[in-house]
């Protein structure tokens, strides 16, 4: 019989997405099916999710999810969308609102502890008791929004095992102690050895304490988060649980991200020589004047993590060498202003689109010769995987999953014929400028360039190995 897994997550592509978490949760059910795992995804009933549902079936909501948490009436719905079997917590008082799913106008929703507390509570109840005749063998919780789910399951006596996956440890879900009682957490455990994080309630920390296994999204990040420089204060908790921690690399959904069939690009292609029409469309879209140098693209949230400020420091010399630059991104106002100002300084060579645009992101990967990911830290990173798949050489910082997925075009790798991109020291604008100079030189040498980009397109970015790794972990825990 198939192993049954309940995924609890706040995002799931293509229904609701703010970042890579959504891509991963959206891909896992499909890739796990091939491993004999039957997965369902529990999602909050955000407006975008509710609108995407076709027929729904209402299931009896487990007792134990009280109104104080849901803020009013709540329903549990079962539905299919985008080929994914979904369970939805439809709690309008918590999830039916305009604005972002975590914040509005740059401020976190004041009831986030209750929104995601209710969601986590429901996940634990379904894991423990099943619903509508469906009993999961295991709970898989993703990121801080579901950190309390393994914790509630632990309080219920661990009826099923739980996996907690860290997609980004810099988002921890921290709330004032006033939420302890409404959330039904044991006050005695509000200590540094429990779920307290420096005077606050830590949702992710609770999940890390309680889960039977902890995973993160690359082997590199699994090592890094054990250190103070990357652990964001949770390195001690993780060190204590190091034996239960592993890194399983994210993959790309190769059905969605396929340059041979992608309906969102200007012209499909199967080899890098076929990118020309897409470059032309991309250059036109950003109103640039084309030239022979490499076109460097960025698709990114604009936060300090992503290191776009470092890239801006290296940009003038790259443009002077004949490069072109396009950026699609949104996020912090100061970074939006900085990238806009940088592009305005070279309007024919650099262009910026501020906003979130899934369709345009596909054209950026298809039309660019290279994709920059200069992150200060990067748990896995998906944009470099899409870049590889679309024959755009990734220019990445050596950190987390970036270092695990890109092979630098150094003399040894070039000699062995395995280079796929350009890797620089994280947080170092000079080394980044040097990588862009190496990119420019390699691009000018047709033979070298076609080797690097052909290697990139051949590099496996699918889920096969990682889906097998998750399935093996689940089987070990279920026993
Ligand atoms: P993170 O989850 O930290 O944002 P990842 O690289 O794991 O970083 O995932 C980012 C995902 O979000 C990718 O699918 C990327 O294409 C997408 N993305 C980021 N910014 C934008 C944007 N402005 N428009 C469209 N897609 C975007």
């Amino acid at each position: 019989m198939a192993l049954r897994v309940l995924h609890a997550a706040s995002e799931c592509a293509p229904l609701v997405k703010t970042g890579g978490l959504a891509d991963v949760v959206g891909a896992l059910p499909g890739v796990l099916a091939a491993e004999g795992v039957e997965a369902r995804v529990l999602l909050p009933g955000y407006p975008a999710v509710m609108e995407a549902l076709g027929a729904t079936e209402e299931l009896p909501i487990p007792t134990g999810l009280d109104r104080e948490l849901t803020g009013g009436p709540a329903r549990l719905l079962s539905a299919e969308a985008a080929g994914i079997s979904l369970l939805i917590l439809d709690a309008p008082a918590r999830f039916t609102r305009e604005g972002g799913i975590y914040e509005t106008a740059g401020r976190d929703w004041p009831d986030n502890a209750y929104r995601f507390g209710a969601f986590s509570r429901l996940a634990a109840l379904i894991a423990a008791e099943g619903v509508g005749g469906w009993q999961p063998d295991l709970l898989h919780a993703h990121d801080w929004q579901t950190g309390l789910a393994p914790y509630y399951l632990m309080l219920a006596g661990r009826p099923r095992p739980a996996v907690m996956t860290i997609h980004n440890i810099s988002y921890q879900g921290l709330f004032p102690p006033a939420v302890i009682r409404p959330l039904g957490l044991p006050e005695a455990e509000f200590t540094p050895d429990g779920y307290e994080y420096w005077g606050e309630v830590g949702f992710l920390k609770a999940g890390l304490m309680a889960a039977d296994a902890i995973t993160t999204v690359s082997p590199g990040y699994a090592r890094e988060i054990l250190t103070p420089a990357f652990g964001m204060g949770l390195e001690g908790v993780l060190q204590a649980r190091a034996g239960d921690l592993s890194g399983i690399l994210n993959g790309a959904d190769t059905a969605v991200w396929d340059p041979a069939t992608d309906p969102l690009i200007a012209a499909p292609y199967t080899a890098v020589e076929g990118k020309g029409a897409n470059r032309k469309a991309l250059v036109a879209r950003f109103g640039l004047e084309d030239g022979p140098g490499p076109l460097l693209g960025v698709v990114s949230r604009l936060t300090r993590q992503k290191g776009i400020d470092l890239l801006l420091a290296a940009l003038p010399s790259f443009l002077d060498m004949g490069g072109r630059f396009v950026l699609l991104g949104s996020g912090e106002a100061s970074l939006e202003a900085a990238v806009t100002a940088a592009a305005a300084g070279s309007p024919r060579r650099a262009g910026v689109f501020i906003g979130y645009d899934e369709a345009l992101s596909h054209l950026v990967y298809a039309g660019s010769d290279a994709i920059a990911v200069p992150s200060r830290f990067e748990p896995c990173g998906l944009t470099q995987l899409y870049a590889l798949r679309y024959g755009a050489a990734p220019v990445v910082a050596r950190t987390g999953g970036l270092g695990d997925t890109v092979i630098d075009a150094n003399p040894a790798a070039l000699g062995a014929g395995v280079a796929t991109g350009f890797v620089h020291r994280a947080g170092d604008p000079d080394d980044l400028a040097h990588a862009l100079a190496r990119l420019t030189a390699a691009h000018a040498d047709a033979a070298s360039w076609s080797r690097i980009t052909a290697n990139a397109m051949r590099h496996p970015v699918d889920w096969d190995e990682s889906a097998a790794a998750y399935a093996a972990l689940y089987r070990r825990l279920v026993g």
Side-chain angles (χ1 to χ4, degrees), residues 70-443:
T70 57
R75 298 185 303 160
L76 175 59
L77 303 176
S78 163
E80 286 265 331
I84 302 169
S85 172
L86 298 170
L87 294 166
I88 310 288
L89 171 56
D90 179 27
R94 294 294 182 214
F95 299 121
T96 308
R97 39 181 90 162
E98 302 285 316
I101 60 176
Y102 307 123
E103 44 72 47
T104 185
R107 296 180 78 112
D108 286 350
W109 291 112
D111 60 346
N112 272 351
Y114 304 128
R115 299 171 78 219
F116 297 107
F119 185 63
S120 296
R121 182 106 185 97
L122 178 61
L125 289 167
I126 296 173
E129 301 159 20
V131 72
W134 189 78
Q135 173 60 62
D137 298 305
L138 180 138
L139 169 71
H140 189 159
H142 298 268
D143 265 355
W144 72 266
Q145 301 88 342
T146 61
L148 287 188
Y151 198 82
Y152 285 132
L153 207 54
M154 180 189 79
L155 295 178
R158 299 183 185 276
R160 318 272 165 232
V163 176
M164 182 84 232
T165 292
I166 303 166
H167 294 263
N168 190 335
I169 207 166
S170 67
Y171 301 99
Q172 299 189 359
L174 300 177
F175 301 100
V179 305
I180 291 174
R181 201 163 306 174
L183 288 172
L185 298 174
E187 309 222 11
E189 297 299 315
F190 185 62
T191 68
D193 290 331
Y195 58 78
E196 179 195 341
Y197 181 92
W198 300 100
E200 296 193 276
V201 174
F203 277 25
L204 181 61
K205 186 179 179 193
L208 297 178
M209 313 279 306
D212 297 276
I214 301 168
T215 72
T216 188
V217 290
S218 70
Y221 197 56
R223 288 189 298 273
E224 287 173 349
I225 55 179
L226 294 171
T227 68
F230 292 90
M232 305 274 176
L234 291 177
E235 62 275 8
V237 175
L238 290 167
Q239 283 160 16
R241 302 222 50 199
D244 300 312
L245 168 68
S246 59
I248 301 177
L249 205 57
N250 285 339
D253 188 333
T254 49
V256 174
W257 296 97
D258 183 356
T261 58
D262 191 335
L264 301 174
I265 65 179
Y269 58 96
T270 53
V272 72
E273 292 71 29
K275 285 171 68 81
N278 291 296
R279 171 165 172 156
K280 217 170 148 198
L282 183 59
V283 162
R285 184 77 184 267
F286 280 82
L288 307 185
E289 200 172 82
D290 213 350
L295 171 55
L296 178 69
V298 167
V299 179
S300 185
R301 291 186 295 117
L302 298 177
T303 63
R304 185 175 152 76
Q305 173 196 342
K306 299 294 180 178
I308 303 301
D309 52 319
L310 305 169
L311 181 60
L312 294 185
L315 196 59
S317 65
F318 174 67
L319 297 178
D320 283 347
M321 290 182 289
R324 298 289 186 275
F325 177 70
V326 298
L327 178 143
L328 165 62
S330 62
E332 289 166 17
S334 62
L335 285 169
E336 290 185 351
V339 295
T340 303
S346 310
R348 288 190 297 278
R349 295 185 168 203
V352 160
F353 182 90
I354 299 294
Y356 190 95
D357 188 330
E358 192 74 27
L360 181 55
S361 77
H362 285 241
L363 184 63
V364 174
Y365 297 118
S368 298
D369 299 300
I371 293 288
V373 196
S375 307
R376 290 186 163 84
F377 67 94
E378 193 59 73
C380 178
L382 293 173
T383 60
Q384 84 281 10
L385 300 184
Y386 303 148
L388 289 166
R389 179 106 168 122
Y390 281 67
V395 181
V396 304
R398 188 178 295 105
T399 185
L402 299 175
D404 289 341
T405 51
V406 179
I407 303 170
D408 180 55
N410 56 42
L414 287 170
V418 297
T420 60
F422 302 85
V423 185
H424 59 85
R425 267 192 303 280
D428 181 341
D430 294 334
D431 203 39
L432 172 50
H434 182 56
L436 293 176
R438 293 192 292 131
L439 159 71
T440 307
H443 183 262

